[in-house]
Amino acid sequence: MPRAGAAAVVTGALVLAGCVACAGPGGTTRPVSATESGTPGASGTAAQGPPATQQPSATRAASSPPPRPPSPSALPVAPGAGRLTQTSAFPTVKSTAFKNAMHDLWLAVTTGQPRLALPAFFPEAAYAQVKAIASPQSDWQYRLWYDFTLDVAAAHPLVGRGATFVKVIVPTEYAAWVYPGACYNSTGYWHVPGARVVYRQGSQLRSFGIASLISWRGDWYVIHFGAVLRSGSYGEVDEPAAGEGYPGPPGGC
């Protein structure tokens, strides 16, 4: 069984690479000449307009729609992995999958759109394999994912316009393998509590936590964002702080 290493950090420049897709402008329209429109000229014959190639550049530019602004989009993490069987591989924070997951989580928080983080969230198909409970799919949808959407809504107002991602601190020294039979599980996984998302708001460094990350086939996924347990239908933010805050503490499943 792999062993956890020291705390790991993923920086913003790597996570945010390729985060948007741009749509290009449409085509230009050739003007219709007097001959084509059937308008007679002064001599009673159809007047010939200038060829399309002679159209002034200003007119050509005006006939094209302006480019669309970039749209935020989620990045893939490990498509289809939830339908495969679990492995005991210890997750790395240096993989493209993890960098994309943190990109998607940050995008969800800054836009207030939880579904943008769906690739970063523990897959429903994997959860159905993990939990030895009745109707794990319903538990995933109506508890785990629902709580995540509430937590994203709670975190969104904290991150003002112009905030920039800096890094994610994952306290891998606190990672532990959760064995089958614990926490109503039918299969095991790696678990790490209290990762920290660090960002810059103006000149100030700030952060908030990720309550719980768990693994599937060697990749980390968010399973609890603001809190593991709560007493009502409300969102929470895990330990928001000025500065980087404090990862952890260890424990949990």
Short mmCIF file of all heavy atoms in Angstrom, two decimals, residues 149-184:
data_model
loop_
_atom_site.label_atom_id
_atom_site.label_comp_id
_atom_site.label_asym_id
_atom_site.label_seq_id
_atom_site.Cartn_x
_atom_site.Cartn_y
_atom_site.Cartn_z
N THR A 149 -23.32 22.16 -3.84
CA THR A 149 -23.86 23.36 -4.48
C THR A 149 -24.12 24.47 -3.46
O THR A 149 -23.90 25.66 -3.76
CB THR A 149 -25.17 23.05 -5.24
OG1 THR A 149 -26.19 22.65 -4.33
CG2 THR A 149 -24.95 21.95 -6.26
N LEU A 150 -24.57 24.11 -2.28
CA LEU A 150 -24.78 25.11 -1.22
C LEU A 150 -23.46 25.73 -0.79
O LEU A 150 -23.38 26.94 -0.54
CB LEU A 150 -25.48 24.46 -0.03
CG LEU A 150 -26.89 23.90 -0.25
CD1 LEU A 150 -27.39 23.24 1.03
CD2 LEU A 150 -27.85 24.99 -0.72
N ASP A 151 -22.41 24.91 -0.70
CA ASP A 151 -21.11 25.41 -0.26
C ASP A 151 -20.48 26.34 -1.31
O ASP A 151 -19.84 27.33 -0.97
CB ASP A 151 -20.17 24.25 0.04
CG ASP A 151 -20.60 23.44 1.25
OD1 ASP A 151 -21.42 23.96 2.05
OD2 ASP A 151 -20.14 22.30 1.40
N VAL A 152 -20.67 26.02 -2.59
CA VAL A 152 -20.18 26.91 -3.64
C VAL A 152 -20.88 28.26 -3.56
O VAL A 152 -20.25 29.32 -3.68
CB VAL A 152 -20.37 26.28 -5.03
CG1 VAL A 152 -20.14 27.31 -6.14
CG2 VAL A 152 -19.43 25.09 -5.22
N ALA A 153 -22.18 28.23 -3.32
CA ALA A 153 -22.93 29.49 -3.18
C ALA A 153 -22.45 30.29 -1.99
O ALA A 153 -22.44 31.53 -2.03
CB ALA A 153 -24.43 29.18 -3.06
N ALA A 154 -22.04 29.62 -0.91
CA ALA A 154 -21.55 30.32 0.27
C ALA A 154 -20.16 30.90 0.03
O ALA A 154 -19.83 31.98 0.52
CB ALA A 154 -21.51 29.37 1.46
N ALA A 155 -19.33 30.18 -0.73
CA ALA A 155 -17.95 30.65 -0.97
C ALA A 155 -17.87 31.75 -2.02
O ALA A 155 -16.96 32.58 -1.98
CB ALA A 155 -17.08 29.46 -1.40
N HIS A 156 -18.83 31.76 -2.94
CA HIS A 156 -18.77 32.71 -4.05
C HIS A 156 -18.66 34.18 -3.62
O HIS A 156 -17.82 34.92 -4.15
CB HIS A 156 -19.99 32.50 -4.95
CG HIS A 156 -20.09 33.47 -6.08
ND1 HIS A 156 -19.13 33.57 -7.08
CD2 HIS A 156 -21.04 34.41 -6.38
CE1 HIS A 156 -19.49 34.52 -7.93
NE2 HIS A 156 -20.63 35.04 -7.53
N PRO A 157 -19.45 34.65 -2.64
CA PRO A 157 -19.34 36.07 -2.26
C PRO A 157 -17.99 36.43 -1.61
O PRO A 157 -17.63 37.60 -1.58
CB PRO A 157 -20.48 36.25 -1.25
CG PRO A 157 -21.42 35.12 -1.50
CD PRO A 157 -20.56 33.99 -1.93
N LEU A 158 -17.28 35.43 -1.09
CA LEU A 158 -15.98 35.73 -0.47
C LEU A 158 -14.93 36.12 -1.49
O LEU A 158 -14.00 36.87 -1.18
CB LEU A 158 -15.47 34.50 0.31
CG LEU A 158 -16.19 34.15 1.60
CD1 LEU A 158 -15.53 32.91 2.21
CD2 LEU A 158 -16.13 35.31 2.60
N VAL A 159 -15.06 35.60 -2.69
CA VAL A 159 -14.06 35.81 -3.72
C VAL A 159 -14.57 36.91 -4.64
O VAL A 159 -15.40 36.67 -5.52
CB VAL A 159 -13.79 34.51 -4.51
CG1 VAL A 159 -12.70 34.73 -5.54
CG2 VAL A 159 -13.40 33.39 -3.55
N GLY A 160 -14.09 38.12 -4.43
CA GLY A 160 -14.57 39.25 -5.19
C GLY A 160 -14.03 39.27 -6.61
O GLY A 160 -13.19 38.45 -7.00
N ARG A 161 -14.52 40.21 -7.39
CA ARG A 161 -14.07 40.36 -8.78
C ARG A 161 -12.59 40.69 -8.80
O ARG A 161 -12.08 41.47 -8.01
CB ARG A 161 -14.87 41.46 -9.47
CG ARG A 161 -16.35 41.17 -9.59
CD ARG A 161 -17.06 42.25 -10.38
NE ARG A 161 -16.57 42.32 -11.75
CZ ARG A 161 -17.02 43.19 -12.66
NH1 ARG A 161 -17.96 44.06 -12.32
NH2 ARG A 161 -16.53 43.18 -13.88
N GLY A 162 -11.89 40.08 -9.72
CA GLY A 162 -10.46 40.32 -9.85
C GLY A 162 -9.59 39.43 -8.99
O GLY A 162 -8.37 39.53 -9.03
N ALA A 163 -10.20 38.53 -8.21
CA ALA A 163 -9.40 37.60 -7.40
C ALA A 163 -8.63 36.66 -8.32
O ALA A 163 -9.13 36.24 -9.37
CB ALA A 163 -10.30 36.80 -6.47
N THR A 164 -7.41 36.33 -7.94
CA THR A 164 -6.57 35.45 -8.75
C THR A 164 -6.13 34.25 -7.94
O THR A 164 -5.74 34.37 -6.78
CB THR A 164 -5.34 36.20 -9.29
OG1 THR A 164 -4.60 36.76 -8.21
CG2 THR A 164 -5.75 37.30 -10.25
N PHE A 165 -6.19 33.09 -8.56
CA PHE A 165 -5.76 31.85 -7.94
C PHE A 165 -4.24 31.86 -7.76
O PHE A 165 -3.50 32.30 -8.64
CB PHE A 165 -6.18 30.68 -8.83
CG PHE A 165 -5.70 29.34 -8.37
CD1 PHE A 165 -6.43 28.60 -7.48
CD2 PHE A 165 -4.50 28.83 -8.84
CE1 PHE A 165 -5.99 27.37 -7.05
CE2 PHE A 165 -4.05 27.60 -8.41
CZ PHE A 165 -4.79 26.86 -7.52
N VAL A 166 -3.78 31.38 -6.61
CA VAL A 166 -2.34 31.30 -6.34
C VAL A 166 -1.86 29.86 -6.29
O VAL A 166 -0.97 29.46 -7.04
CB VAL A 166 -1.98 32.03 -5.03
CG1 VAL A 166 -0.50 31.86 -4.70
CG2 VAL A 166 -2.33 33.51 -5.12
N LYS A 167 -2.48 29.03 -5.41
CA LYS A 167 -2.03 27.65 -5.28
C LYS A 167 -3.03 26.86 -4.44
O LYS A 167 -3.94 27.44 -3.81
CB LYS A 167 -0.65 27.57 -4.63
CG LYS A 167 -0.60 28.17 -3.22
CD LYS A 167 0.83 28.14 -2.67
CE LYS A 167 0.90 28.81 -1.30
NZ LYS A 167 2.27 28.81 -0.75
N VAL A 168 -2.84 25.55 -4.42
CA VAL A 168 -3.57 24.66 -3.53
C VAL A 168 -2.55 23.91 -2.68
O VAL A 168 -1.59 23.36 -3.21
CB VAL A 168 -4.45 23.65 -4.30
CG1 VAL A 168 -5.12 22.68 -3.34
CG2 VAL A 168 -5.51 24.38 -5.11
N ILE A 169 -2.76 23.91 -1.37
CA ILE A 169 -1.89 23.17 -0.46
C ILE A 169 -2.63 21.91 -0.03
O ILE A 169 -3.72 21.98 0.54
CB ILE A 169 -1.54 24.02 0.79
CG1 ILE A 169 -0.90 25.34 0.37
CG2 ILE A 169 -0.62 23.24 1.73
CD1 ILE A 169 -0.73 26.32 1.53
N VAL A 170 -2.05 20.76 -0.33
CA VAL A 170 -2.65 19.48 0.05
C VAL A 170 -1.75 18.84 1.11
O VAL A 170 -0.61 18.49 0.82
CB VAL A 170 -2.78 18.54 -1.16
CG1 VAL A 170 -3.40 17.21 -0.74
CG2 VAL A 170 -3.61 19.20 -2.26
N PRO A 171 -2.22 18.68 2.34
CA PRO A 171 -1.39 18.12 3.41
C PRO A 171 -1.30 16.59 3.30
O PRO A 171 -1.93 15.85 4.05
CB PRO A 171 -2.12 18.56 4.68
CG PRO A 171 -3.56 18.60 4.28
CD PRO A 171 -3.57 19.05 2.83
N THR A 172 -0.51 16.12 2.35
CA THR A 172 -0.45 14.69 2.09
C THR A 172 0.14 13.91 3.26
O THR A 172 -0.03 12.68 3.33
CB THR A 172 0.37 14.41 0.81
OG1 THR A 172 1.64 15.08 0.88
CG2 THR A 172 -0.38 14.91 -0.42
N GLU A 173 0.80 14.60 4.19
CA GLU A 173 1.26 13.90 5.39
C GLU A 173 0.10 13.44 6.27
O GLU A 173 0.26 12.56 7.13
CB GLU A 173 2.20 14.81 6.21
CG GLU A 173 1.55 15.99 6.90
CD GLU A 173 1.48 17.24 6.04
OE1 GLU A 173 1.53 17.11 4.80
OE2 GLU A 173 1.35 18.34 6.60
N TYR A 174 -1.09 14.01 6.05
CA TYR A 174 -2.29 13.60 6.80
C TYR A 174 -3.11 12.57 6.03
O TYR A 174 -4.16 12.13 6.52
CB TYR A 174 -3.18 14.81 7.08
CG TYR A 174 -2.57 15.84 7.99
CD1 TYR A 174 -2.98 17.18 7.93
CD2 TYR A 174 -1.61 15.51 8.94
CE1 TYR A 174 -2.44 18.14 8.77
CE2 TYR A 174 -1.06 16.46 9.78
CZ TYR A 174 -1.47 17.78 9.69
OH TYR A 174 -0.94 18.73 10.52
N ALA A 175 -2.69 12.20 4.84
CA ALA A 175 -3.46 11.24 4.04
C ALA A 175 -3.44 9.86 4.69
O ALA A 175 -2.43 9.42 5.24
CB ALA A 175 -2.91 11.16 2.62
N ALA A 176 -4.58 9.17 4.62
CA ALA A 176 -4.69 7.83 5.20
C ALA A 176 -5.58 6.97 4.32
O ALA A 176 -6.52 7.47 3.68
CB ALA A 176 -5.26 7.90 6.61
N TRP A 177 -5.27 5.66 4.27
CA TRP A 177 -6.10 4.73 3.53
C TRP A 177 -7.27 4.31 4.40
O TRP A 177 -7.10 3.86 5.52
CB TRP A 177 -5.29 3.51 3.13
CG TRP A 177 -6.06 2.46 2.38
CD1 TRP A 177 -6.56 1.30 2.89
CD2 TRP A 177 -6.41 2.47 1.00
NE1 TRP A 177 -7.21 0.59 1.92
CE2 TRP A 177 -7.14 1.28 0.74
CE3 TRP A 177 -6.19 3.38 -0.04
CZ2 TRP A 177 -7.64 0.98 -0.53
CZ3 TRP A 177 -6.69 3.08 -1.30
CH2 TRP A 177 -7.40 1.90 -1.53
N VAL A 178 -8.48 4.52 3.89
CA VAL A 178 -9.70 4.13 4.60
C VAL A 178 -10.09 2.73 4.11
O VAL A 178 -10.39 2.55 2.93
CB VAL A 178 -10.84 5.13 4.35
CG1 VAL A 178 -12.10 4.69 5.09
CG2 VAL A 178 -10.42 6.53 4.80
N TYR A 179 -10.07 1.76 5.01
CA TYR A 179 -10.28 0.36 4.63
C TYR A 179 -11.76 0.04 4.43
O TYR A 179 -12.64 0.71 5.00
CB TYR A 179 -9.69 -0.56 5.70
CG TYR A 179 -8.18 -0.60 5.69
CD1 TYR A 179 -7.45 0.29 6.47
CD2 TYR A 179 -7.51 -1.52 4.89
CE1 TYR A 179 -6.06 0.27 6.47
CE2 TYR A 179 -6.12 -1.55 4.88
CZ TYR A 179 -5.40 -0.66 5.66
OH TYR A 179 -4.02 -0.68 5.64
N PRO A 180 -12.05 -0.97 3.62
CA PRO A 180 -13.44 -1.44 3.49
C PRO A 180 -14.00 -1.81 4.87
O PRO A 180 -13.29 -2.35 5.72
CB PRO A 180 -13.31 -2.68 2.60
CG PRO A 180 -12.04 -2.46 1.83
CD PRO A 180 -11.12 -1.73 2.76
N GLY A 181 -15.25 -1.49 5.08
CA GLY A 181 -15.90 -1.73 6.36
C GLY A 181 -15.98 -0.50 7.22
O GLY A 181 -16.86 -0.38 8.08
N ALA A 182 -15.07 0.45 7.03
CA ALA A 182 -15.11 1.72 7.76
C ALA A 182 -16.04 2.69 7.05
O ALA A 182 -16.13 2.71 5.82
CB ALA A 182 -13.72 2.33 7.88
N CYS A 183 -16.78 3.47 7.82
CA CYS A 183 -17.62 4.54 7.26
C CYS A 183 -18.62 4.02 6.22
O CYS A 183 -18.89 4.70 5.22
CB CYS A 183 -16.76 5.65 6.67
SG CYS A 183 -15.60 6.39 7.83
N TYR A 184 -19.14 2.81 6.42
CA TYR A 184 -20.13 2.20 5.54
C TYR A 184 -19.58 1.99 4.12
O TYR A 184 -20.30 2.07 3.13
CB TYR A 184 -21.40 3.06 5.46
CG TYR A 184 -22.02 3.35 6.80
CD1 TYR A 184 -21.80 4.57 7.43
CD2 TYR A 184 -22.80 2.39 7.45
CE1 TYR A 184 -22.36 4.83 8.68
CE2 TYR A 184 -23.36 2.65 8.69
CZ TYR A 184 -23.13 3.87 9.30
OH TYR A 184 -23.69 4.13 10.53
#
